[in-house]
Amino acid sequence: MSERAALPDLDTLNPEALKSLIVAQHEQLLSKEEQLASRDEEIERLKLLIAKLRRMQFGRKSEKLDWQIEQLELKLDELQASRAQQLAAPMAASVVNRAAKRGRQPLPAHLPRETHRVLPQQEACPDCGGALKPLGEDVSEMLEYVPEHFKVIRQVRPKLACACCDKIVQAAAPSRPIERGMAGPGLLAHVLVSKYADHLPLYRQAEIYARDGVELDRSTMAEWIGGCSRLLQPLVEALRRHVMSAAKLHADDTPVPVLAPGNGKTKTGRLWTYVRDDRPWGDRTSPAVWFAYTPDRKGEHPKAHLSEFTGTLQADAYAGYDAIYEDGRVKEAACMAHVRRSFYDLYEAHKSAVAKEALERIAALYAIEEEIRGRSAEERREIRTARSRPLLESLKEWFDETLGKLSTKSDTTKAIRYALKRWDELLRFCDDGHLEIDNNAAERSLRAVVLGRKNYLFAGSDAGGARAAAIYGLIGTAKLNGLNAEEYLREVLSRIADHPINRIEELLPWNLAAELTDSSRRAA
């Protein structure tokens, strides 16, 4: 599924144009080789530094030293994953594959073997029609992971020779997710889900696998993640198109500490989430979530993300969204949960009577929402008009009345003014049954990121943040569609290398849901 730039028609080029083309290609190749050499030097430097710090660990322990080692471990993972992801050129990839092959150890002998015989399709010699006789066979091994244990799949491809004309027939080697890689799709899916859903950095995974007698170098797994990221990119793009074709989206973002290049310190990147989920009003369109990473929180980023979107955006009051609403192509719907959160914090801190009453009034609105969840958009609109709008009008009157009794600088005043400033946007859900009262769908999608952030401390680079966004989107969408994320990624990675790119939508979670559900039932 790799995409290559088309060459011009060489037969039509004059000698000068042909010479220019060769020089340009040569310069491009040299530039890539220089980048690879620079990255390789940085990788080796980090390995030496980590080894030195680990030696310093013996004796008295230091939390600061442990933290420094974790920082460097993660930066090393990101560099190695970036190298694998960017090596799309066949020549560069072959160099890496040869280097990896030279250092690869035999797969552990204690693991169970499962032999797959791959026979040629021909039953007779394709040249003369003569009978075929055994000539030998090629054997390769692939390390696979099934839930709770490893196994080795031996792929045996017998060679058959024609008894009449000595023609040799052999089946082509089955495709692997990563060309010439030793990891099967199940193992790759397990590494991805362990890192991005179970929040286990690669060096911790390596320690876990070592307990099963399988020595998987962290750098190898990092290259697998880079290779998978490149392989899955067309599927992530198809997911983005599906999300952006909605008429209503939930949006939010969260900070991600990212290791700044060169100085060992961290900067703050952002992960943005965009959720399409219309199940609350009974729509059967498949829910999905798309993540995007940016190195900062400038308003130009959501504006670029939503450049193709037309409809209503439910989000918080971040000023960066304002430019999106200016031309009317996108309408704003505010979030009642953000209003409620301010009063909840006030009540928890001071047991404020005003905060308590605000919470009770907002709770009455949520009780109605719970009752009408799953009903049609029109029915939701009618019930909200009859029951929710009067409660909201009463709430606004109470807000206005209460403001006159409070200090202008109090936290309660700030909470009320926050609500009144965006009151029209808060009421928008009453007039449109397709909308929700809050933006909790987006906030739920960020839970995995928040948990991962606690374990990782930070992303190793901007490229690592982009890889994380891609995998978070696929895992999150699989979960929204009721799928086991690891089973889904295993199935995708077993198919995607040979799958036509113009039919990539067939591999989206909801298009594989029935098939995966049936296979899970058979396995049970």
Side-chain angles (χ1 to χ4, degrees):
M1 292 192 51
S2 60
E3 299 179 9
R4 301 178 183 176
L7 281 172
D9 187 351
L10 300 180
D11 293 332
T12 64
L13 294 180
N14 59 44
E16 288 302 318
L18 187 58
K19 186 186 299 183
S20 299
L21 178 63
I22 294 172
V23 170
Q25 292 289 333
H26 180 65
E27 290 176 350
Q28 185 177 358
L29 182 59
L30 287 177
S31 175
K32 176 160 284 190
E33 288 177 348
E34 289 173 359
Q35 292 174 12
L36 290 173
S38 175
R39 186 180 290 117
D40 289 346
E41 289 174 2
E42 178 69 3
I43 287 172
E44 293 305 316
R45 187 187 70 82
L46 285 173
K47 286 181 177 178
L48 289 173
L49 186 53
I50 289 170
K52 179 180 178 181
L53 289 173
R54 287 206 177 280
R55 287 194 297 271
M56 293 169 60
Q57 272 188 311
F58 290 102
R60 186 178 170 200
K61 283 275 186 174
S62 164
E63 290 185 5
K64 182 177 180 181
L65 183 58
D66 291 339
W67 186 78
Q68 288 176 328
I69 291 174
E70 285 189 335
Q71 273 196 327
L72 294 172
E73 296 266 20
L74 289 168
K75 183 177 181 182
L76 181 58
D77 288 349
E78 297 294 353
L79 281 173
Q80 290 167 325
S82 295
R83 178 174 62 179
Q85 183 177 358
Q86 293 173 4
L87 285 175
M91 183 178 297
S94 65
V95 170
V96 170
N97 286 325
R98 286 198 300 271
K101 195 169 184 179
R102 284 197 298 271
R104 182 182 298 172
Q105 299 297 317
L107 295 175
H110 71 274
L111 295 179
R113 255 67 177 172
E114 181 178 304
T115 300
H116 294 181
R117 294 184 67 83
V118 186
L119 296 171
Q121 295 181 350
Q122 301 91 336
E123 296 181 356
C125 177
D127 288 354
C128 69
L132 297 174
K133 61 182 181 180
L135 180 65
E137 60 188 23
D138 289 336
V139 179
S140 62
E141 292 190 336
M142 177 171 64
L143 183 64
E144 184 58 296
Y145 181 88
V146 292
E148 305 305 331
H149 71 275
F150 289 95
K151 67 179 180 181
V152 175
I153 295 177
R154 290 170 53 86
Q155 294 178 337
V156 178
R157 296 184 295 126
K159 294 179 181 179
L160 303 177
C162 177
C164 301
C165 68
D166 292 331
K167 171 75 174 182
I168 297 175
V169 175
Q170 185 181 36
S175 295
R176 300 190 181 203
I178 298 177
E179 188 179 359
R180 299 194 184 108
M182 73 168 181
L187 177 56
L188 294 173
H190 184 69
V191 170
L192 290 171
V193 171
S194 295
K195 178 174 172 65
Y196 294 106
D198 298 333
H199 326 301
L200 285 172
L202 295 183
Y203 67 90
R204 293 182 187 169
Q205 290 190 50
E207 294 170 355
I208 293 171
Y209 302 147
R211 293 201 296 267
D212 286 336
V214 179
E215 298 290 340
L216 288 180
D217 190 77
R218 189 187 64 250
S219 63
T220 299
M221 289 189 286
E223 290 183 355
W224 290 349
I225 288 179
C228 287
S229 180
R230 180 161 52 86
L231 192 64
L232 293 169
Q233 194 53 49
L235 185 60
V236 175
E237 174 58 22
L239 181 64
R240 185 197 68 81
R241 291 195 298 269
H242 174 78
V243 169
M244 291 301 160
S245 65
K248 178 208 72 179
L249 285 181
H250 296 270
D252 203 352
D253 68 287
T254 191
V256 180
V258 179
L259 198 63
N263 57 16
K265 298 181 180 179
T266 58
K267 61 178 184 177
T268 301
R270 308 296 295 195
L271 270 176
W272 306 79
T273 183
Y274 299 93
V275 181
R276 175 179 186 172
D277 190 354
D278 293 322
R279 292 174 296 177
W281 58 273
D283 185 72
R284 295 187 177 182
T285 303
S286 301
V289 54
W290 177 69
F291 283 86
Y293 169 82
T294 60
D296 52 52
R297 204 193 186 200
K298 294 178 181 177
E300 64 193 46
H301 300 306
K303 186 175 182 179
H305 299 157
L306 296 164
S307 61
E308 301 173 14
F309 172 69
T310 300
T312 303
L313 184 70
Q314 294 209 265
D316 59 23
Y318 168 52
Y321 294 126
D322 291 347
I324 300 171
Y325 306 133
E326 286 178 353
D327 62 2
R329 176 177 55 87
V330 177
K331 294 181 180 179
E332 178 184 5
C335 173
M336 185 63 73
H338 278 78
V339 174
R340 180 188 180 279
R341 192 168 299 138
S342 298
F343 290 106
Y344 178 82
D345 291 340
L346 286 168
Y347 183 74
E348 286 292 299
H350 309 296
K351 303 301 179 186
S352 161
V354 173
K356 182 180 179 181
E357 182 169 351
L359 289 174
E360 290 173 348
R361 287 172 174 267
I362 294 172
L365 294 168
Y366 272 90
I368 297 171
E369 291 304 301
E370 183 67 27
E371 182 183 331
I372 64 176
R373 183 171 291 113
R375 300 193 189 184
S376 70
E378 182 58 28
E379 189 174 2
R380 279 157 53 104
R381 186 192 66 78
E382 291 175 356
I383 293 173
R384 286 168 174 172
T385 299
R387 296 169 56 187
S388 299
R389 184 173 284 279
L391 293 178
L392 285 161
E393 290 172 352
S394 174
L395 177 61
K396 185 176 185 301
E397 290 176 3
W398 179 75
F399 276 160
D400 290 333
E401 180 183 333
T402 303
L403 270 181
K405 305 174 183 178
L406 298 172
S407 165
T408 57
K409 295 182 179 180
S410 73
D411 290 333
T412 306
T413 297
K414 292 178 183 177
I416 292 175
R417 284 179 174 168
Y418 175 90
L420 293 177
K421 184 178 180 180
R422 48 196 53 83
W423 193 255
D424 289 342
E425 289 75 21
L426 284 169
L427 261 65
R428 188 151 284 155
F429 81 102
C430 286
D431 301 322
D432 188 344
H434 302 93
L435 305 182
E436 301 305 310
I437 190 174
D438 57 35
N439 194 37
N440 284 350
E443 295 194 4
R444 285 193 296 270
S445 72
L446 289 173
R447 285 177 184 170
V449 179
V450 174
L451 288 172
R453 187 171 60 208
K454 290 179 180 178
N455 279 20
Y456 299 151
L457 304 180
F458 52 83
S461 65
D462 288 334
R467 277 192 297 274
I471 305 303
Y472 277 134
L474 292 174
I475 290 175
T477 301
K479 290 180 178 180
L480 283 174
N481 287 271
L483 299 180
N484 179 305
E486 187 168 330
E487 289 182 3
Y488 167 67
L489 286 176
R490 183 191 307 129
E491 187 67 22
V492 167
L493 290 168
S494 69
R495 298 186 185 193
I496 194 167
D498 295 322
H499 197 82
I501 195 169
N502 60 349
R503 289 166 39 204
I504 194 66
E505 289 82 4
E506 295 174 1
L507 300 183
L508 289 167
W510 51 89
N511 291 327
L512 294 179
E515 191 174 331
L516 289 171
T517 302
D518 289 343
S519 64
S520 296
R521 287 173 181 166
R522 288 194 297 270

